[in-house]
Amino acid sequence: LKEALITDCKKLWRGPAAQWLACAVVLNEDGSPDWPSLLGTGGNDGNLDFTNNFMQRLGDLFEIQSAEGSPKPSTCRLLQEAFWRIPTNDLNNSSIGQFQPGSAGGPNSSTGIIGNSYVNPWDFVLMLEGTILFSAKATRRLSPKDADRASAPFVVRSHAAGYASTGFEKSQLGEQWMPLWNRPSSISDVRALFGEARIQLGRQIAARPIEAACAISRLGTARGIGSFIRYGYLERNGQSNLAVPLGRFEVREHPLTHLVDNLSVWADRIHARARDSYATTSLKNAEKHLADKLLNLLAKDDPRNPNPTLWQSVLQAALDIESIQKNGVAISAGPIPPLHPQWLRAIDDGSGELRLAIALASAAAGYTRKGWQIDSIRGHWLPLKGIRFLRFNSSKNRLLNDPRVVMTGKDFLDDCAAVVARRLFEAERGSQRRLQLTAHHACGARLSDITDFINGQLNDAKLYGLARALMPLRWDLLTAEHLPLSMQKQRSTRFAGRNKFLDKKNHSSHSATARSLPEEAWLMLKLLHLPGPLKDGRSITADPSIVKYLQSGSASRAIEIAIRRLRSAGLRPPLYFSNANDEVAKRWAAALVFPLSPRSIQRAAVIVDPSLKGTVNA
C-alpha cells in the first residue's frame, strides 16, 4: 500500500509538495521506494518527524496562530546568532534529529551529568528549507557503480576511513559531500548546480570517498565551489543516525592525483574483501590504513610543493596489504597493479634509499625492445604468473608453493643474499654462471650509494619497502623526466669528463669522490656477479659459494675465490688478502643484488685493475 501511495503521489502532486517528495523519496527501477539519507527515511528519523518539527520551530519564531504571524521578541536575536554567532540565551530545548550532533544533549554533553538539547529554531527552519534544493529526481546516473541512494546530489558510498572515530560499521547510510562557496551565488545558480550535481572522475561518476577526493583535486566540479565538507550518516550514541562531519577537502588542481587511479580499482577490490564476514582483522586494518593514507594524501598534499612522505606512505600501505596477501588472504583481488613511472617523481625525497630502491625494483634478467622486463625480480617476492605479473599463481584460492619466492620480508639483508643465491643457482643450472640481474638503462645503482649501504648509513627498512612497492612500476613507460632529480643530474653530468675545463674545475672534488667508493674487496666481489662480460669482452664467471661464505662470516675465503677468478679472467687485482667482520660480510653479500650501470661497472673494473683505464672511454 505504501509503494502504491508513493507512486500515485509522484504522478499527481505538483508544486512545493512535489519538490518535497522528490527530496524525501526516490523510486527505483522496479518502483520500490528508497530514502536519501539527508532526510532520514522519507522525512523522519525514527520517531522524529521532520515536517512536524519544522512547524514547531516556526511556532517558536512566529505567532502562527495570529492573523499577522508577527515574530516573537527573541526571533531577531536568534537570527543574529544563526547568521553571525552573536551569543544569546534564547535557545530552545528541543530535538533536531541527525542534523546537529553536537547539540543532541545526553550524558557528558555539558558541565553537568546530562545536558539538554539546545537548538536555535532558525537553524532547523533554514536547514529544512535548504533541503528542497537537494532534489534526487534529476541526478540518477546509468552507471553500474552507482548505489540507489547515490542518486541524491553529491552522495557517495560510505567508507569507514579518513577520520578518527572509524569502526567496522555495517549500518552506514552513505556519505554526502556538501559544497562551500568562496563567493556569493544566486539561488538560480545553486538550484542549477544541484539539479545536475555530481562529482565526476573522468567519464565515471565518483562512487566512493577516494574517487570523490580525486575528482575534487582535479577541479571536476562546478566552478565557484571553494571546498567540500564530507559528511557521513553514521550510527552513534546507541542506534541514533547522525550526520557527522568527517573532514574538509579543498577544490584545487593537483597535477599528480591521477596516480591514485593506479590503485583505486585495486583498493575497491580489497575493500570488498575486507567487508566480508570472514575477513581477517589484519586485512580490515590494512585496508582501512590504505584508505586513510589515500584520503590524507588527497586532502593535505600541496600541489605547489608535493610532500614525498605522503606519497611514500600510500605505497607502504599498499605494500602492507600485499604482505598479507602473501599469506593467502584476499588473493582474488590480485597484487598491486602496474604503477605509472611518474610515481618516482611523486615520492622523490632525494635520498640514497630511493635511488637504490629504484635500481633493485628495476632488476630483471633483461629488457625487450619495447621495454618490458624479462624475469623480473618481483617473482622472488610473490608467486605471480603472466608476462606482466597481474595475477597470483594460485589454485583453489591458495597460493602455490613457488621455490623461486625467496624474499620473506623479515630480514632485508638475508632476502637480498637469497635472491643472489637463487639467481646463481638458476644460472648454473642453465650453464651460464652469471648473475642475471640488470637494471633499467637509466636506473643503475651508484657506487656512492652502495658505499652508504655497506657502511650502514641508510635506512634498510625504508629501502626495502620502497623497492618492493616499486616492483610493479611500468618500466616500459619510464623516461628521463620520470626519474628523481638526483638521478637526472647524474645522467646529465656523464659526459662532463670530456670537457677539459670541467675536468680542471672538478679536480678538487676527486678525493672526496674517491672516499665515497666501496672497498676494493667488495668491488672485486661485484665483478664476479655481473650479468655479462666487461666492455672489453672479458668474461668473469661467478661462484655460488661466495655468497654462502659471506653469509657465514668467512669473508677472507670469499675474497680468496674472487682473486683467483679475476686472475683467471686476465685481471690483476690489487689485493692478495682481505677480511671483514660478520656484519660487513653480510652487507657485502646483500649489496651484490644491486645492479650497476654499465659506466659504474667499468669504473669498478678500472679501480680493481688500473690497466683497463683506456677501455672506459672506448
Side-chain angles (χ1 to χ4, degrees):
L1 292 177
K2 183 187 294 185
E3 294 182 7
L5 173 64
I6 294 176
T7 303
D8 291 341
C9 292
K10 283 281 188 180
K11 294 178 181 178
L12 301 177
W13 285 10
R14 298 292 183 271
Q19 294 178 10
W20 168 256
L21 192 64
C23 299
V25 183
V26 175
L27 293 180
N28 297 327
E29 295 180 356
D30 57 359
S32 60
D34 192 19
W35 322 106
S37 299
L38 178 64
L39 292 175
T41 54
N44 65 280
D45 181 16
N47 294 326
L48 178 65
D49 184 272
F50 297 156
T51 53
N52 189 355
N53 199 15
F54 178 79
M55 296 302 297
Q56 294 181 37
R57 302 291 77 77
L58 284 179
D60 295 335
L61 298 171
F62 300 96
E63 300 290 350
I64 58 177
Q65 294 182 349
S66 65
E68 294 80 8
S70 57
K72 294 185 176 181
S74 62
T75 301
C76 184
R77 295 191 297 270
L78 290 170
L79 186 62
Q80 291 177 336
E81 195 278 337
F83 280 175
W84 298 288
R85 288 294 181 261
I86 298 177
T88 180
N89 58 358
D90 298 308
L91 301 181
N92 297 344
N93 183 10
S94 54
S95 300
I96 197 171
Q98 67 179 9
F99 302 108
Q100 195 171 343
S103 301
N108 301 322
S109 63
S110 182
T111 55
I113 299 177
I114 297 178
N116 294 324
S117 177
Y118 288 105
V119 174
N120 187 335
W122 275 115
D123 289 339
F124 191 90
V125 170
L126 297 175
M127 178 272 302
L128 208 62
E129 286 283 357
T131 59
I132 302 298
L133 296 174
F134 287 81
S135 173
K137 64 180 181 179
T139 58
R140 294 185 61 83
R141 293 288 180 267
L142 299 178
S143 173
K145 298 176 64 176
D146 288 345
D148 291 333
R149 70 173 55 92
S151 57
F154 301 121
V155 168
V156 297
R157 294 173 180 172
S158 59
H159 195 160
Y163 52 99
S165 61
T166 58
F168 302 122
E169 293 105 338
K170 297 294 184 181
S171 58
Q172 294 173 323
L173 302 176
E175 297 179 8
Q176 197 155 12
W177 293 50
M178 297 297 184
L180 289 178
W181 281 260
N182 53 20
R183 59 176 181 266
S185 183
S186 65
I187 187 63
S188 59
D189 293 338
V190 175
R191 183 179 290 110
L193 173 66
F194 285 132
E196 184 194 341
R198 65 185 183 275
I199 303 179
Q200 191 84 10
L201 186 62
R203 297 184 178 181
Q204 299 292 332
I205 305 298
R208 294 202 180 277
I210 295 175
E211 297 174 352
C214 284
I216 290 171
S217 65
R218 301 179 204 175
L219 294 177
T221 54
R223 295 186 179 275
I225 298 178
S227 60
F228 281 83
I229 296 183
R230 176 191 178 197
Y231 282 91
Y233 299 102
L234 311 176
E235 276 195 4
R236 293 290 188 268
N237 193 22
Q239 292 185 333
S240 300
N241 291 324
L242 300 177
V244 181
L246 306 179
R248 177 178 293 193
F249 291 79
E250 301 292 334
V251 176
R252 55 188 179 184
E253 186 175 7
H254 199 306
L256 296 178
T257 52
H258 68 91
L259 299 177
V260 178
D261 295 345
N262 298 157
L263 297 172
S264 59
V265 176
W266 179 72
D268 283 345
R269 293 199 297 263
I270 296 295
H271 177 63
R273 274 62 171 185
R275 290 178 61 88
D276 188 88
S277 57
Y278 298 102
T280 62
T281 303
S282 60
L283 178 63
K284 293 179 181 179
N285 292 332
E287 186 277 330
K288 178 185 175 302
H289 184 60
L290 173 61
D292 286 340
K293 294 301 181 181
L294 285 170
L295 289 172
N296 185 57
L297 167 69
L298 295 170
K300 296 182 178 180
D301 194 41
D302 187 356
R304 295 167 297 181
N305 186 23
N307 187 349
T309 303
L310 294 177
W311 291 91
Q312 290 181 13
S313 66
V314 170
L315 289 183
Q316 184 59 52
L319 182 62
D320 292 341
I321 293 179
E322 198 174 64
S323 299
I324 296 174
Q325 290 178 302
K326 192 173 182 179
N327 299 323
V329 178
I331 59 176
S332 58
I336 296 177
L339 303 176
H340 194 276
Q342 204 167 1
W343 273 95
L344 298 180
R345 295 301 303 273
I347 65 175
D348 180 16
D349 58 1
S351 64
E353 289 90 347
L354 177 59
R355 292 191 294 270
L356 284 183
I358 293 174
L360 181 57
S362 69
Y367 284 81
T368 66
R369 290 185 177 180
K370 294 183 178 181
W372 294 102
Q373 286 182 314
I374 302 174
D375 191 13
S376 168
I377 195 175
R378 196 182 185 194
H380 297 301
W381 163 241
L382 292 170
L384 303 172
K385 61 181 179 180
I387 299 177
R388 297 177 60 185
F389 286 164
L390 299 179
R391 294 177 295 170
F392 285 106
N393 191 8
S394 60
S395 176
K396 297 180 180 179
N397 295 326
R398 298 184 62 182
L399 293 177
L400 296 181
N401 186 15
D402 191 346
R404 302 190 75 237
V405 179
V406 295
M407 303 175 76
T408 64
K410 298 179 181 179
D411 188 284
F412 178 36
L413 302 182
D414 289 342
D415 284 356
C416 290
V419 171
V420 175
R422 179 67 195 184
R423 287 277 175 162
L424 291 177
F425 169 76
E426 295 175 354
E428 190 174 24
R429 190 171 55 182
S431 301
Q432 293 183 359
R433 305 190 70 178
R434 297 185 185 279
L435 180 60
Q436 295 297 329
L437 283 179
T438 302
H440 189 277
H441 67 85
C443 301
R446 287 182 178 182
L447 292 178
S448 58
D449 291 333
I450 296 290
T451 304
D452 293 339
F453 171 75
I454 293 176
N455 294 336
Q457 297 176 357
L458 300 181
N459 186 333
D460 291 346
K462 176 183 177 181
L463 195 165
Y464 196 21
L466 288 175
R468 288 180 295 167
L470 291 176
M471 287 178 185
L473 207 73
R474 286 285 305 274
W475 302 102
D476 59 306
L477 301 179
L478 181 67
T479 61
E481 290 74 17
H482 297 138
L483 295 173
L485 293 178
S486 58
M487 298 181 71
Q488 290 186 20
K489 293 178 181 178
Q490 179 189 19
R491 288 173 54 83
S492 64
T493 57
R494 282 187 175 180
F495 302 102
R498 297 182 181 179
N499 190 308
K500 295 182 180 180
F501 174 76
L502 290 178
D503 278 347
K504 294 180 180 179
K505 184 178 180 180
N506 297 329
H507 179 73
S508 59
S509 63
H510 175 73
S511 58
T513 304
R515 289 197 299 269
S516 64
L517 294 175
E519 297 182 34
E520 294 175 337
W522 183 85
L523 293 176
M524 292 191 301
L525 296 173
K526 184 59 181 176
L527 290 180
L528 267 67
H529 298 82
L530 299 178
L534 295 178
K535 197 170 183 179
D536 62 354
R538 302 190 191 207
S539 180
I540 309 173
T541 58
D543 191 325
S545 63
I546 289 180
V547 176
K548 298 179 182 179
Y549 283 127
L550 291 174
Q551 286 187 292
S552 63
S554 301
S556 60
R557 178 59 178 158
I559 295 173
E560 179 183 344
I561 297 175
I563 293 174
R564 187 169 61 249
R565 293 274 181 175
L566 292 173
R567 287 177 177 174
S568 65
L571 274 71
R572 294 175 295 178
L575 301 178
Y576 291 92
F577 175 82
S578 183
N579 200 0
N581 59 43
D582 294 351
E583 178 63 25
V584 173
K586 192 174 181 180
R587 286 191 169 273
W588 278 0
L592 296 175
V593 78
F594 297 107
L596 302 177
S597 65
R599 183 174 180 83
S600 296
I601 292 174
Q602 289 301 117
R603 189 178 183 188
V606 169
I607 294 174
V608 172
D609 188 351
S611 64
L612 298 176
K613 187 174 182 180
T615 64
V616 173
N617 297 321

